[in-house]
């Protein structure tokens, strides 16, 4: 979880925590969300389905999603 | 620094990689509107930097005439004082016409024209995007998901180049290249072994490196040495019969056993420049780290771990980063004149006016009243629209359905289509009819601003409620993003009652 938070912080350059979600920050808008998933795909060498990207709208959900992918 | 992207695709992701003040393009793909409308964002703002980047496939599919486009650019740049970065087109290798190469021909022709044009103005910097592209730059998935054509890697690379260009343009570049000797200018340790510096094998890497450094010197960069050797040994390396760099190429030589940070300070003092004007190259990580620690204002790039990458690394990560140049030499100026003449000949067609442009679009607007087929889209519009949204009220599907069923409310959707775009539902108004006609929600998707759609929608509301003989009341609630709609009702001759309320009396 800390690692994920760190990645998001560095990438979006916003001060998120584990309760943050899409829309909380100007840089984490729908566009930032997509760029973030691009980044996560690279970082964890994995692929996300469209539904996964659209539904994982908070740090907690993204964490769950990554856990499910075993990365 | 105020930064704007003039483009026909979505480049907003750049803001993740650039620390400039981004002025939002609002609707991506608005390049023609921006250029033609003298009231547009680029004409009204004083941007420091405009990055113009057009997607080839989109440009071609919209059937835009390149000469018309360049004339529009010309019209704008005439009075533009900032830095204009003009990117070339990149056709993707695989295209439907395969080896007939029709599209390729187009691309070459377009790029040639853009290049010629770029030479016409001193504040245009041509950005050779095409040569930068690699296969990791494009993404289909995110294109279909959110109209993002490029990957983060592409945006990051672009951003870096933009920064380099701006540095170069502002003359904000370094002055002195300071070099270590052993395993930097040649392979091995001089005085202890035969050094590698030759016309073949690994020695050639170092020889090429020296040649590159020599060229950089010719471009006006000062060279200095900062190395831990016996002085005589160091000099003997430079006097090596094959060495390209000679003793006299270096303005200062600190070849001694002192602390390298102290040497750097002396070099800066003797040349009367700041430490931040020096770029120091050393293969030794400990030396680099020490200097970074002691002289944080200095520039100490990482050294490639794979020596075969030395020259590639040097050009990309040192020259582009610290010594970029755009300033024209005399020779360049002569060419500049030739291009100027050429461009004038190409300047055949006169730029279209914005009105002519709008007329040529064949815009079709259709207003739908209380149509239940689109409640999902309506709700989505209220959720997502930020910029042209007068009240920014967010509704869900149930809310919208209730409004439609309620006789006191009217839900109006706007369907839009033109020559290039079939956008579907792009606008929404929700009005409440009571003692007065209240405009509860009035919004428009960014993509079709400046096409007169907002005027048509308001006019429709006024017409449809005319016979009820009621005053029309409009609201504006300011948010961070909707400032541009502030005067909407005033422009339509509504009377302002208070900060948020506007009225048109019967």
């Amino acid at each position: 979880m800390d690692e994920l938070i760190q990645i998001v912080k560095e990438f979006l350059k916003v001060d998120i925590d584990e309760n943050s979600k899409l829309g909380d920050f100007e840089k984490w808008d729908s566009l930032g969300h997509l760029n973030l998933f691009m980044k996560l795909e690279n970082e964890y060498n994995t692929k996300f389905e469209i539904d996964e990207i659209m539904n994982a709208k908070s740090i907690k959900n993204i964490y769950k999603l990554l856990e499910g992918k075993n990365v | 620094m105020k930064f704007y992207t003039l483009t026909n695709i979505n480049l907003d992701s750049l803001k993740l990689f650039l620390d400039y003040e981004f002025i939002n393009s609002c609707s991506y793909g608005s390049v023609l509107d921006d250029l033609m409308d003298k009231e547009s964002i680029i004409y009204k703002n004083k941007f420091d930097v405009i990055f113009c980047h057009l997607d080839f496939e989109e440009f071609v599919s919209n059937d835009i005439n390149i000469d018309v486009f360049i004339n529009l650019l010309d019209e704008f740049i005439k009075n533009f004082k900032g830095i204009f970065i003009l990117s070339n087109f990149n056709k993707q290798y695989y295209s439907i016409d395969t080896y007939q190469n029709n599209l390729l021909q187009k691309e070459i022709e377009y790029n040639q024209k853009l290049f010629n044009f770029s030479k016409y103005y001193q504040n245009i910097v041509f950005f050779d995007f095409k040569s930068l592209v690699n296969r990791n730059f494009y993404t289909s998935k995110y294109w279909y998901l959110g109209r993002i054509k490029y990957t983060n890697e592409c945006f990051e690379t672009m951003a870096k180049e933009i920064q380099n260009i701006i540095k170069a343009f502002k003359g904000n570049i370094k002055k002195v290249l300071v070099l270590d000797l052993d395993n930097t200018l040649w392979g091995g340790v001089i005085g202890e072994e035969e050094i590698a510096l030759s016309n073949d094998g690994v020695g050639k890497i170092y020889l090429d490196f020296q040649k590159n450094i020599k060229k950089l010197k010719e471009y006006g960069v000062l060279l200095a040495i900062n190395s831990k050797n016996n002085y005589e040994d160091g000099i003997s390396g430079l006097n090596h019969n094959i060495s390209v760099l000679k003793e006299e190429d270096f303005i200062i030589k600190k070849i001694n056993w002192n602390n390298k940070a102290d040497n750097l300070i002396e070099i800066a003092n003797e040349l009367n420049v700041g430490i931040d004007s020096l770029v120091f190259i050393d293969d030794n990580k400990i030396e680099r780290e020490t200097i970074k620690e002691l002289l944080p204002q200095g520039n100490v790039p990482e050294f490639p771990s794979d020596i075969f990458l030395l020259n590639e690394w040097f050009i990309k990560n040192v020259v582009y980063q610290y010594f970029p140049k755009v300033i024209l030499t005399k020779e360049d100026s002569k060419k500049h004149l030739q291009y100027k003449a050429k461009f004038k000949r190409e300047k055949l067609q006169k730029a279209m006016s914005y009105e002519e442009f709008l007329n040529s679009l064949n815009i079709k607007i259709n207003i739908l009243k209380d149509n239940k087929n689109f409640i999902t889209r309506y709700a989505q519009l209220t959720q997502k629209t930020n910029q042209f949204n007068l009240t920014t009220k967010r509704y869900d599907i149930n809310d919208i359905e209730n409004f439609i069923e309620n006789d006191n409310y009217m839900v109006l959707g706007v369907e839009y289509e033109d020559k290039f775009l079939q956008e579907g539902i792009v606008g929404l108004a929700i009005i409440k009819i009571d003692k007065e006609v209240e405009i509860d929600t009035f919004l428009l998707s960014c993509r079709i601003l400046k096409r007169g759609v907002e005027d048509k929608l308001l006019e429709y509301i006024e017409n449809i409620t005319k016979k009820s003989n009621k005053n029309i009341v409009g609201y504006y609630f300011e948010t961070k993003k909707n400032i541009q709609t502030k005067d909407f009702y005033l422009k339509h001759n509504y009377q302002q009652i208070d900060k948020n309320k506007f009225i048109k009396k019967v």
Side-chain angles (χ1 to χ4, degrees):
Chain A
M1 179 57 104
D2 288 346
E3 185 186 279
L4 173 64
I5 291 178
Q6 200 51 38
I7 290 173
V8 179
K9 263 189 187 172
E10 260 170 43
F11 185 71
L12 294 176
K13 295 182 193 85
V14 290
D15 197 21
I16 57 129
D17 57 39
E18 60 176 321
N19 295 316
S20 302
K21 57 183 190 308
L22 169 69
D24 283 356
F25 300 91
E26 210 179 320
K27 285 204 169 160
W28 192 356
D29 53 8
S30 49
L31 185 80
H33 191 67
L34 293 179
N35 284 103
L36 176 62
F37 270 83
M38 248 194 252
K39 170 81 181 165
L40 295 173
E41 287 189 340
N42 270 338
E43 200 74 27
Y44 292 104
N45 196 18
T46 183
K47 295 265 170 243
F48 299 107
E49 299 294 324
I50 292 182
D51 287 349
E52 292 174 330
I53 298 176
M54 291 316 191
N55 292 329
K57 290 182 176 171
S58 65
I59 291 293
K60 280 184 180 146
N61 285 337
I62 295 174
Y63 183 71
K64 248 186 249 164
L65 177 64
L66 287 168
E67 251 184 346
K69 299 234 166 218
N70 281 324
V71 292
Chain B
M1 182 140 43
K2 276 170 101 179
F3 183 87
Y4 186 74
T5 54
L6 186 62
T7 177
N8 60 353
I9 50 169
N10 184 355
L11 295 179
D12 288 353
S13 309
L14 269 178
K15 67 179 167 217
L16 292 167
F17 304 98
L18 283 172
D19 269 341
Y20 304 142
E21 183 192 347
F22 264 76
I23 310 297
N24 248 353
S25 24
C26 181
S27 56
Y28 44 84
S30 58
V31 55
L32 283 183
D33 301 63
D34 287 346
L35 285 169
M36 280 189 219
D37 180 5
K38 292 271 152 61
E39 297 281 289
S40 78
I41 186 161
I42 57 168
Y43 275 98
K44 279 179 125 178
N45 284 273
K46 278 203 173 92
F47 289 111
D48 300 298
V49 180
I50 291 181
F51 176 58
C52 177
H53 175 82
L54 299 173
D55 178 70
F56 181 71
E57 281 75 23
E58 286 290 306
F59 194 85
V60 169
S61 79
N62 284 347
D63 204 19
I64 298 167
N65 180 313
I66 187 73
D67 295 317
V68 170
F69 176 74
I70 289 179
N71 280 322
L72 286 169
L73 276 185
D74 182 49
E75 194 71 14
F76 169 69
I77 292 175
K78 267 197 309 216
N79 300 312
F80 178 64
K81 297 279 177 285
I83 305 170
F84 194 90
I85 302 175
L86 181 60
S87 163
N88 53 3
F89 287 102
N90 179 57
K91 182 190 91 69
Q92 298 194 55
Y93 179 84
Y94 295 105
S95 51
I96 197 82
D97 64 339
T98 62
Y99 302 108
Q100 296 177 67
N101 290 332
N102 299 329
L103 285 168
L104 179 65
Q105 188 186 347
K106 238 182 202 173
E107 185 218 31
I108 293 169
E109 182 198 332
Y110 289 6
N111 281 340
Q112 185 64 53
K113 285 187 172 175
L114 285 182
F115 186 80
N116 294 348
F117 173 68
S118 79
K119 289 282 169 185
Y120 193 63
Y121 289 98
Q122 302 264 6
N123 59 337
I124 301 183
V125 182
F126 192 74
F127 171 52
D128 186 12
F129 175 71
K130 188 173 173 53
S131 306
L132 199 62
V133 170
N134 71 41
R135 56 197 307 117
N136 299 327
F137 270 24
Y138 289 91
T139 160
S140 303
K141 178 157 142 192
Y142 290 92
W143 169 249
Y144 288 111
L145 261 175
R147 286 282 176 272
I148 306 176
K149 189 142 190 169
Y150 302 133
T151 57
N152 288 335
E153 182 184 335
C154 174
F155 286 121
E156 202 172 354
T157 312
M158 262 186 179
K160 195 170 266 172
E161 287 308 312
I162 290 169
Q163 285 167 319
N164 287 342
I165 289 171
I166 294 171
K167 255 189 260 172
F169 202 90
K170 299 208 152 172
N172 184 14
I173 60 174
K174 306 305 169 195
K175 297 192 176 75
V176 192
L177 180 66
V178 185
L179 296 143
D180 173 45
L181 292 176
D182 290 334
N183 289 315
T184 300
L185 284 193
W186 52 70
V189 177
I190 191 119
E192 285 184 14
E193 56 188 316
E194 185 67 26
I195 56 169
L197 186 66
S198 58
N199 265 316
D200 47 41
V202 175
K204 185 164 167 56
I205 300 173
Y206 293 101
L207 193 67
D208 288 345
F209 187 44
Q210 292 203 4
K211 284 181 189 161
N212 279 324
I213 293 170
K214 183 97 172 181
K215 267 181 218 140
L216 198 59
K217 183 192 170 221
E218 283 157 16
Y219 285 130
V221 174
L222 300 175
L223 303 181
I225 293 173
N226 180 11
S227 177
K228 282 183 181 164
N229 294 88
N230 293 325
Y231 187 79
E232 297 71 30
D233 286 340
I235 295 298
S236 75
L238 296 174
N239 290 334
H240 191 285
N241 56 359
I242 206 167
S243 184
V244 172
L245 292 170
K246 298 292 178 198
E247 216 183 314
E248 60 273 14
D249 286 320
F250 298 91
I251 187 159
I252 293 180
K253 296 172 283 278
K254 297 286 172 194
I255 306 174
N256 53 40
W257 296 95
N258 300 345
N259 177 329
K260 288 194 180 179
D262 291 340
N263 279 343
L264 280 180
I265 294 172
E266 283 178 26
I267 291 172
N269 287 342
E270 284 169 39
L271 292 175
N272 204 13
V273 298
I275 295 282
D276 61 338
S277 294
L278 309 181
V279 178
F280 180 49
I281 293 181
D282 196 320
D283 65 294
N284 186 322
K285 190 168 173 77
I286 298 169
E287 295 286 3
R288 292 199 306 270
E289 292 306 315
T290 315
I291 288 171
K292 273 194 229 167
E293 189 75 22
L294 294 172
L295 303 170
Q297 70 276 45
N299 306 288
V300 190
E302 281 306 300
F303 195 81
S305 48
D306 178 357
I307 200 65
F308 290 103
L309 298 176
L310 181 63
N311 287 290
E312 210 182 306
W313 162 83
F314 178 66
I315 291 181
K316 185 175 160 195
N317 294 27
V318 179
V319 181
Y320 268 81
Q321 192 88 12
Y322 300 107
F323 304 103
K325 281 192 90 164
V326 287
I327 296 154
L328 296 170
T329 62
K330 264 185 195 155
E331 195 51 34
D332 281 336
S333 320
K334 221 188 281 168
K335 264 189 220 148
H336 182 80
L337 287 176
Q338 289 167 7
Y339 283 117
K340 212 165 170 164
K342 194 157 187 273
F343 170 67
K344 263 192 180 153
R345 283 197 299 277
E346 280 170 2
K347 213 173 150 177
L348 299 168
Q349 277 157 292
K350 210 190 150 291
M352 235 193 259
S353 76
Y354 191 60
E355 279 71 33
E356 283 170 302
F357 166 67
L358 284 185
N359 286 334
S360 76
L361 283 176
N362 298 330
I363 296 173
K364 286 182 194 128
I365 295 170
N366 185 21
I367 294 178
L368 308 165
K369 202 177 127 198
D370 289 333
N371 188 322
K372 277 196 175 177
N373 293 330
F374 296 108
I375 47 176
T376 317
R377 174 66 179 150
Y378 293 160
Q380 187 196 38
L381 277 171
T382 70
Q383 297 291 339
K384 278 183 139 179
T385 311
N386 294 316
Q387 302 190 58
F388 200 100
N389 192 341
L390 290 162
T391 56
T392 321
K393 292 188 182 175
R394 313 294 193 194
Y395 293 120
D396 61 24
I397 298 171
N398 292 331
D399 298 329
I400 301 287
E401 200 164 10
N402 289 339
F403 288 137
I404 291 179
E405 276 166 9
N406 189 328
D407 286 342
N408 288 333
Y409 281 87
M410 210 186 283
V411 175
L412 303 170
V414 186
E415 219 171 9
Y416 177 92
E417 184 189 325
D418 69 27
K419 203 163 77 178
F420 304 132
L421 305 164
Q422 266 118 40
E423 289 288 320
I425 303 289
V426 293
L428 174 74
I430 300 172
I431 53 183
K432 184 182 174 191
I433 303 161
D434 210 340
K435 282 179 203 137
E436 294 168 321
V437 175
E438 278 183 54
I439 305 177
D440 173 89
T441 290
F442 193 100
L443 63 84
L444 218 59
S445 155
C446 271
R447 300 201 60 170
I448 42 84
L449 287 188
K450 296 264 180 183
R451 300 275 168 88
V453 180
E454 60 272 39
D455 306 329
K456 286 264 165 63
L457 182 57
L458 190 63
E459 195 184 299
Y460 183 90
I461 294 173
E462 287 167 1
N463 284 338
I464 191 171
T465 56
K466 207 176 232 165
K467 38 182 185 305
S468 70
N469 243 350
K470 286 174 179 168
N471 295 337
I472 302 179
V473 177
Y475 296 96
Y476 168 73
F477 298 112
E478 188 176 309
T479 68
K480 252 187 179 171
K481 290 183 170 168
N482 73 353
I483 313 273
Q484 59 163 305
T485 59
K486 200 178 170 175
D487 298 330
F488 179 69
Y489 286 116
L490 287 178
K491 269 190 208 152
H492 287 86
N493 300 320
Y494 281 58
Q495 221 183 312
Q496 186 155 11
I497 302 296
D498 59 37
K499 204 168 135 243
N500 305 111
K501 202 170 170 182
F502 300 81
I503 193 162
K504 185 168 193 173
K505 295 200 170 133
V506 275

